[in-house]
Amino acid sequence: MARKSASGRIGIADVAVKAGVSHATVSRVMNGNFTVDPDIAARVRAAAAELKYQPNPVGRSLALGKTDTIGIVVPDLANPTFQAILRGLSRAAAEDGYRVLIADSFEVSSEESILAGEARRRCDGLVLCAPRMSDAELEEIAPSLHPLVLINRTTAAPHVPSLVVDYGQGVQDIAGHLVELGHTRLAFLAGPPRSASNEMRLKGLETFKAAHPEVQVTMLEGGSDFDTGHEAVDAVLASGATGILAFNDLVAMGLMSGLHERGLDVPGDISVTGFDDIPFAKYTTPALTTGAVPITELGEQAWHQLRALIRKEEDGTPGGRYHPRLEVRASTGPAKAPRSTVHG
Amino acid sequence: MARKSASGRIGIADVAVKAGVSHATVSRVMNGNFTVDPDIAARVRAAAAELKYQPNPVGRSLALGKTDTIGIVVPDLANPTFQAILRGLSRAAAEDGYRVLIADSFEVSSEESILAGEARRRCDGLVLCAPRMSDAELEEIAPSLHPLVLINRTTAAPHVPSLVVDYGQGVQDIAGHLVELGHTRLAFLAGPPRSASNEMRLKGLETFKAAHPEVQVTMLEGGSDFDTGHEAVDAVLASGATGILAFNDLVAMGLMSGLHERGLDVPGDISVTGFDDIPFAKYTTPALTTGAVPITELGEQAWHQLRALIRKEEDGTPGGRYHPRLEVRASTGPAKAPRSTVHG
DNA sequence: GCAAAGCGAGAAAGCGTTTTCTCGCTAGTT
DNA sequence: AACTAGCGAGAAAACGCTTTCTCGCTTTGC
């Protein structure tokens, strides 16, 4: 008869009395400590099995000072990019017996610091994706979040690896591809104004413009989702550009959808490119030319970096840099002669 | 000067000595207990702020017997359906101050029980999506997982709400829609063999066939992802069907992509339908006709059910049933005359 | 045959909170 | 003025586990 502990759940004490040993011995057996007499160990194991005893992880965490859990802060779980990072992170962490706690900030960057702090205290480490957080704030909280791995951000705080995608280079590659196809009027459908990765794209475009003075590049306001792209049709057409670099694949898909509704042909009339290479990108019609980022792998790497930090391994590489690979598909093609434009 | 506790982090004891009071008083102040003298409370708060004290959630969880965390077990985080459930769940739970721990079983259903148990012990409740788990296994573990909410599964265990989508009805609605368009030869591109929701679809189709003996319905083996749909093109064409019910939107998209490559027109030659209405469904070309399931809302409801269980509210409704809404878009159209087929 | 060494298991002290219990002090009542 | 009621805050127990410390037993070596 199992004497249930106060909480109603079976605890180590119940196993101890059933096996006629002390708590300590039960703990030793459960943790594979071999200094226990085999007979007693067997008795304990039998008792544990009979009572279906499962150690309480909270008590364990308190005693051990670790939770075997890591946290990830994302700005928007609806975004396929962060879904992919989460997926890679979760899979890699699971292989090492770690679980993942998610904290979705729902794009309210003011809450991000608090959210990150709370998540961190429940976990052994944190992966932070906070594209909208100000640099100042990031610098301020980074030290208190250690072990910490940053995605697409950097900090001066020591021992904080950053995994960053070279959006600047990627955008240049894409622009180069369009120019090779004969496009001389490009437009960049920008991301959210305070996005760090958008900044990187803008810097890349500046570099590109400097190297290609003959190409006209129009900057258009945008966002990061379908609707943004869909609503941008008018602005895109007004720009007179024939090659459009959308902030990401979502925006590109929205744009293509909008262009389609207007009866325009992609890439016949206008070439459209995305960024990220989300799983759906190759299934759009036409299939989307994009800057492919190994996003899932990025999540996986985030875990490896974090693991090194948690294990206090000194030899961990201090982050990593990912170069997007230009993935040419069917949404880009040769430029046709410039159309007449509204402001031309 | 903060006397750091052994662990290196600042604890309640540090605040206590700094404020010149006992641990108990600090705890009282931090929890808004008003039996503390305002002057002392202020002193404690000042000390806490100065030391940047943040209560350790693990110690708190042990004392309180709750973690303010819930778990969700999903078979595949790459699947947009589960991403949407997770999103809805996470958002709703966050509003009540709960966090979400994810456990991805990566489709290895043999691990699901263990995974679910482990996740449950770290949390105050669990949401279980386990479409491939056998009924017997589900019945066995369900009681030990309480508080538990099931998605698209039911169990005889008491106090286990189920949120189920009526795929059977949905599939009948879709088939009916195709028949109205004049299709008399349909094919069902089935989901994974042991999927519970696939069973529901099959049952629905049986009902449909009984009511429409004049319609020929071919069953085709399938799966649940893009590639499954893409690879099914030959089988679909061989069936001679003009109206295809794909297991879900992903499969439908893969199929449309494959048909497109073969130079076939959707819906001119073949009508294709999906299921779920994932965010991308309306952006495919042609836009996908599908059975729309309010998936995010389902995640949200899962939290509400779970919350009622956690709070031991007796009046909680015992689950819910969702009826897919037929979302007619451009991937379905009038049937053309039957083509010649390979067999029959 | 006795002392020292070694080993196995129980007692107890943490881990960082919350909460009950207790006690001392103040105020209020007759 | 004395006694009680009430209240505020410290001491200590509890949450469930791990781990060090300690002690008693057995074994080994001289």
Side-chain angles (χ1 to χ4, degrees):
Chain A
M1 183 72 48
R3 186 190 63 80
K4 291 231 198 135
S5 70
S7 76
R9 270 187 40 79
I10 288 176
I12 204 172
D14 304 297
V15 180
V17 309
K18 174 146 196 129
V21 298
S22 70
H23 323 307
T25 301
V26 176
S27 173
R28 280 190 273 257
V29 172
M30 298 308 288
N31 292 304
N33 186 323
F34 292 111
T35 69
V36 179
D37 183 293
D39 290 352
I40 296 184
R43 210 164 72 219
V44 169
R45 262 188 279 273
E50 194 167 339
L51 297 177
K52 294 195 203 306
Y53 167 69
Q54 300 288 141
N56 177 329
V58 179
R60 206 148 191 280
S61 291
L62 188 60
L64 256 24
K66 68 193 197 101
T67 61
D68 291 343
T69 300
I70 59 171
I72 179 171
V73 177
V74 294
D76 179 17
L77 214 44
N79 187 322
T81 302
F82 300 115
Q83 288 167 359
I85 292 175
L86 171 61
R87 200 161 67 241
L89 182 73
S90 167
R91 195 172 64 75
E95 277 175 13
D96 289 310
Y98 277 73
R99 289 126 207 98
V100 176
L101 188 77
I102 61 171
D104 188 339
S105 71
F106 303 103
E107 295 277 5
V108 274
S109 54
S110 57
E111 298 278 332
E112 263 170 355
S113 302
I114 300 117
L115 209 61
E118 282 185 358
R120 173 62 187 83
R121 280 193 299 281
R122 291 176 189 277
C123 301
D124 298 344
L126 194 68
V127 174
L128 182 61
C129 309
R132 319 268 183 283
M133 184 183 287
S134 74
D135 283 335
E137 198 172 8
L138 180 58
E139 291 301 331
E140 187 181 336
I141 66 168
S144 72
L145 262 25
H146 191 271
L148 172 69
V149 171
L150 254 29
I151 307 268
N152 280 334
R153 295 295 297 257
T154 55
T155 171
H159 308 300
V160 179
S162 287
L163 260 27
V164 346
V165 176
D166 195 341
Y167 292 101
Q169 184 60 54
V171 106
Q172 290 178 62
D173 292 348
I174 294 172
H177 163 67
L178 289 170
V179 168
E180 266 182 31
L181 287 169
H183 297 270
T184 54
R185 311 182 70 175
L186 307 182
F188 176 57
L189 206 43
R194 297 187 47 217
S195 157
S197 77
N198 189 53
E199 286 304 318
M200 297 173 70
R201 289 170 172 88
L202 289 175
K203 283 222 187 73
L205 279 178
E206 288 307 318
T207 309
F208 180 83
K209 279 157 77 172
H212 298 262
E214 79 283 6
V215 179
Q216 179 190 323
V217 183
T218 311
M219 296 296 168
L220 266 24
E221 288 185 8
S224 61
D225 55 14
F226 277 125
D227 297 337
T228 302
H230 198 264
E231 290 164 10
V233 176
D234 288 330
V236 163
L237 293 178
S239 76
T242 60
I244 316 297
L245 295 87
F247 175 69
N248 63 19
D249 291 344
L250 254 35
V251 174
M253 289 169 71
L255 176 62
M256 287 205 299
S257 161
L259 291 171
H260 186 75
E261 288 169 12
R262 286 286 213 290
L264 287 161
D265 182 53
V266 176
D269 298 312
I270 294 190
S271 287
V272 174
T273 66
F275 216 116
D276 289 346
D277 195 25
I278 62 176
F280 289 87
K282 65 162 90 65
Y283 294 98
T284 57
T285 30
L288 191 61
T289 293
T290 191
V293 179
I295 332 183
T296 307
E297 186 190 326
L298 207 143
E300 190 181 323
Q301 274 305 315
W303 165 242
H304 290 148
Q305 297 279 341
L306 196 52
R307 183 181 58 187
L309 250 36
I310 290 172
R311 294 183 181 166
K312 299 200 202 318
E313 294 169 0
E314 296 299 337
D315 58 337
T317 50
R321 198 165 182 87
Y322 290 81
H323 288 270
R325 180 175 39 80
L326 179 64
E327 190 74 40
V328 178
R329 299 206 180 97
S331 69
T332 48
K336 47 182 230 184
R339 295 167 295 120
S340 65
T341 64
V342 173
H343 58 268
Chain B
M1 183 72 48
R3 185 190 62 81
K4 290 224 196 144
S5 69
S7 76
R9 270 186 42 79
I10 288 176
I12 205 171
D14 303 297
V15 180
V17 310
K18 175 146 196 128
V21 298
S22 69
H23 322 309
T25 301
V26 176
S27 173
R28 280 189 272 258
V29 172
M30 299 306 288
N31 292 302
N33 186 323
F34 292 112
T35 69
V36 179
D37 182 292
D39 289 352
I40 295 183
R43 211 165 71 219
V44 169
R45 262 188 278 275
E50 194 168 339
L51 296 178
K52 294 196 204 305
Y53 166 69
Q54 301 287 141
N56 178 329
V58 179
R60 206 149 190 279
S61 290
L62 187 60
L64 257 24
K66 66 193 198 105
T67 61
D68 291 343
T69 301
I70 60 170
I72 179 172
V73 177
V74 294
D76 180 16
L77 255 188
N79 186 323
T81 301
F82 300 115
Q83 289 167 358
I85 293 175
L86 172 60
R87 200 161 66 241
L89 182 73
S90 167
R91 195 172 64 75
E95 278 175 13
D96 288 311
Y98 278 72
R99 289 126 208 98
V100 176
L101 188 77
I102 62 172
D104 188 340
S105 71
F106 303 104
E107 295 277 5
V108 274
S109 53
S110 57
E111 299 278 332
E112 264 170 357
S113 302
I114 300 118
L115 208 61
E118 282 185 358
R120 173 60 189 84
R121 281 194 299 282
R122 292 176 186 276
C123 300
D124 298 344
L126 194 69
V127 174
L128 182 61
C129 310
R132 318 270 183 283
M133 184 183 287
S134 73
D135 284 334
E137 197 171 10
L138 181 59
E139 291 301 331
E140 187 182 336
I141 66 168
S144 72
L145 261 27
H146 191 271
L148 172 70
V149 171
L150 254 30
I151 307 267
N152 280 334
R153 296 295 296 259
T154 54
T155 171
H159 308 301
V160 178
S162 287
L163 260 26
V164 346
V165 176
D166 195 340
Y167 292 101
Q169 183 61 53
V171 105
Q172 291 178 60
D173 292 348
I174 295 173
H177 163 68
L178 289 170
V179 168
E180 268 182 28
L181 287 169
H183 297 268
T184 54
R185 312 183 69 174
L186 306 182
F188 175 58
L189 206 42
R194 297 187 47 216
S195 158
S197 77
N198 190 53
E199 287 304 319
M200 297 173 70
R201 290 170 173 86
L202 290 176
K203 282 220 188 74
L205 279 179
E206 289 307 318
T207 308
F208 180 84
K209 279 157 77 173
H212 298 262
E214 79 284 6
V215 178
Q216 178 190 325
V217 183
T218 311
M219 297 295 168
L220 265 25
E221 288 184 8
S224 62
D225 55 13
F226 277 125
D227 297 337
T228 302
H230 198 264
E231 289 164 10
V233 176
D234 288 329
V236 163
L237 294 178
S239 76
T242 60
I244 316 296
L245 295 86
F247 174 68
N248 63 18
D249 291 344
L250 253 36
V251 174
M253 289 169 72
L255 175 61
M256 288 205 300
S257 161
L259 291 170
H260 186 76
E261 287 170 12
R262 286 285 215 289
L264 287 161
D265 182 53
V266 175
D269 296 312
I270 295 191
S271 287
V272 174
T273 66
F275 217 117
D276 288 346
D277 194 25
I278 62 176
F280 289 86
K282 66 162 88 68
Y283 294 99
T284 57
T285 31
L288 190 61
T289 292
T290 191
V293 180
I295 331 185
T296 306
E297 186 191 327
L298 207 144
E300 191 180 321
Q301 274 304 316
W303 165 242
H304 290 149
Q305 298 280 341
L306 195 53
R307 183 181 58 188
L309 249 36
I310 290 173
R311 293 182 180 167
K312 298 198 202 316
E313 295 170 0
E314 296 300 337
D315 59 336
T317 51
R321 197 163 182 88
Y322 289 81
H323 288 269
R325 180 174 40 79
L326 179 65
E327 189 74 41
V328 178
R329 299 208 181 96
S331 69
T332 48
K336 28 183 246 189
R339 294 167 296 119
S340 65
T341 64
V342 173
H343 57 268

